[in-house]
Amino acid sequence: MPNMSAKRNEMPVQAPDVRNKNFSEVALGYTEEQAIDEAKRCLNCKNKPCTSGCPVQIDIPAFIAQVAEGNFAEAYKIITKSSSLPAVCGRVCPQETQCESKCVRGIKGEPVAIGRLERFVADWHNAQPEAAPEIPAKNGHKAAVIGSGPSGLACAGDLAKKGYDVTIFEALHVAGGVLSYGIPEFRLPKSIVQKEIGGLKALGVNVETNTVVGKTISIDELMKEEGFETVFIGSGAGLPRFMNIPGENLNGVYSANEFLTRINLMKAYKEGSATPIKAGSKAVIVGGGNVAMDAARCAKRLGAEVYIVYRRTEAELPARAEEVEHAKEEGIIFKFLTNPVEIQATDDGWVKSIHCQQMELSEPDASGRAKPVPIEGAFIDIEADCVIMSIGTSPNPLIKSTTSGLDTQKWGGIIANEDGLTSKEGVYAGGDAVTGAATVILAMGAGKKAAAAMDEYMQKK
């Protein structure tokens, strides 16, 4: 019998006053019974509107129909025809603005919990005894992928399935890109990331860490000397931006990238860590995106009283509603219509407080959101011994500066067409390296598009 409840099955979670003191995963996942019950809410629409909202075009009604019947293995096969990282996407994709926003059940109630079902299926599969995948026959062509983040992993996976000899070059000592260094353990356990990467390695993908393309080796050298006939640049956008206000060079000021990398990749929160990090007694996070929420929730777990300052109102927050809700539940304090103008110092050069201008909203700016403007004479000071800047990132200029014939935007993004083709023959790009910071699933979609175009390019050679 179909489940016509207007409400979706709630996701079991750790209690807020428990989880804000540990780094274990907040959401605990559906049980089999919950997953089947939720899957039965799907109307299995013939025109599949939800699929049109998925950047990697998963056949959503088909996999959900299998979940409703308890055929979890078949559901996993359907998902992985389109997605290389289902356990990741089920956790961090903004389904509410993508597939779930198109769900017919959302017209008169809550949409089907597509993301939670994808996560369930992937977790169920990962809990089963592993069987060695069938490795495709090699087609005699070599492809290089720069960066092991979501776009690079998606591209590498699709190329490997077509028989390419694929090598991923990763600058850090651990593969996964932003999935490893940027997203906290309590949202995305690193064991899951490495499990997904292990699946690609089982397909024959080679991963070389500690390789900074542009420094260790250049793209030109990869193609001319190492025999790679095509290259995908998925190096992300890891260069942090700052506000250029007085005091940003004080001790106790971090970029969100550094703060999260040290916590996620180096486990700086653990006692006895070789690279410890402190959030102090009071931490202020500047920004309103998902990265700001991640930094704030990490600082809370390190024992700080945490404030998020954002120059617009809650309605304009770019972060996912779920992340904002979780942050509030965990005791994060939001200061809206507040814009830092100076970070003030103690006598010994550490952060003392952050001086902020009060704002009000006027007409929409170029982004389509109401523009914040200063209220004359209205300022507040917020005491803090740690300030974390989370106002965006841009691509590292290293690859551009060491690669001949590669055109970029003024702000650093690589110029590529919708298939990922750059101005350099045989070189493709996608994800944050092209668009600037965006979502995991959009980066994956770009990687998949580029893999298809790279395959077509190679078949013509």
Side-chain angles (χ1 to χ4, degrees), residues 288 310 312-319 361 369-370:
Y310 181 61
R312 293 182 169 94
T313 71
E314 183 170 1
E316 288 81 34
L317 277 174
L361 296 183
R369 294 178 296 173

Side-chain angles (χ1 to χ4, degrees), residues 220-434:
D220 291 337
E221 288 169 339
L222 286 174
M223 300 183 81
K224 293 176 182 177
E225 299 176 18
E226 299 298 324
F228 290 100
E229 301 158 87
T230 183
V231 175
F232 175 75
I233 304 170
S235 50
L239 188 65
R241 296 175 186 163
F242 288 89
M243 294 183 70
N244 296 317
I245 59 175
E248 277 187 312
N249 61 341
L250 292 172
N251 294 320
V253 179
Y254 301 94
S255 70
N257 269 36
E258 179 192 353
F259 186 75
L260 291 171
T261 298
R262 289 174 66 179
I263 287 174
N264 298 328
L265 207 57
M266 303 175 187
K267 307 302 179 190
Y269 59 88
K270 290 187 175 180
E271 192 170 342
S273 169
T275 58
I277 195 167
K278 294 181 180 179
S281 60
K282 291 186 178 181
V284 173
I285 286 75
V286 181
N290 290 325
V291 175
M293 301 304 134
D294 287 343
R297 296 171 70 193
C298 284
K300 184 70 177 180
R301 284 158 171 77
L302 294 178
E305 179 182 319
V306 182
Y307 294 82
I308 288 178
V309 298
Y310 181 61
R311 61 184 185 151
R312 293 182 169 94
T313 71
E314 183 170 1
E316 288 81 34
L317 277 174
R320 293 182 67 189
E322 180 179 82
E323 301 308 318
V324 175
E325 180 184 351
H326 281 173
K328 287 181 176 179
E329 290 173 349
E330 292 170 9
I332 310 299
I333 302 163
F334 286 77
K335 294 282 189 181
F336 296 111
L337 294 170
T338 304
N339 191 47
V341 293
E342 181 182 2
I343 302 170
Q344 298 165 328
T346 62
D347 291 340
D348 56 355
W350 286 80
V351 172
K352 175 185 177 183
S353 62
I354 185 165
H355 188 54
C356 300
Q357 172 94 55
Q358 296 289 273
M359 312 293 282
E360 60 186 355
L361 296 183
S362 64
E363 296 301 313
D365 62 14
S367 72
R369 294 178 296 173
K371 183 179 179 180
V373 294
I375 300 174
E376 188 175 349
F379 296 92
I380 62 168
D381 288 341
I382 303 173
E383 286 186 17
D385 40 22
C386 173
V387 174
I388 301 168
M389 290 293 178
S390 182
I391 58 171
T393 56
S394 56
N396 191 305
L398 184 60
I399 288 178
K400 157 62 178 173
S401 66
T402 58
T403 305
S404 61
L406 188 65
D407 294 340
T408 59
Q409 307 278 2
K410 287 183 179 179
W411 53 269
I414 296 169
I415 296 173
N417 69 13
E418 62 179 15
D419 292 325
L421 179 62
T422 70
S423 56
K424 187 175 179 67
E425 184 181 353
V427 177
Y428 296 75
D432 293 1
V434 172

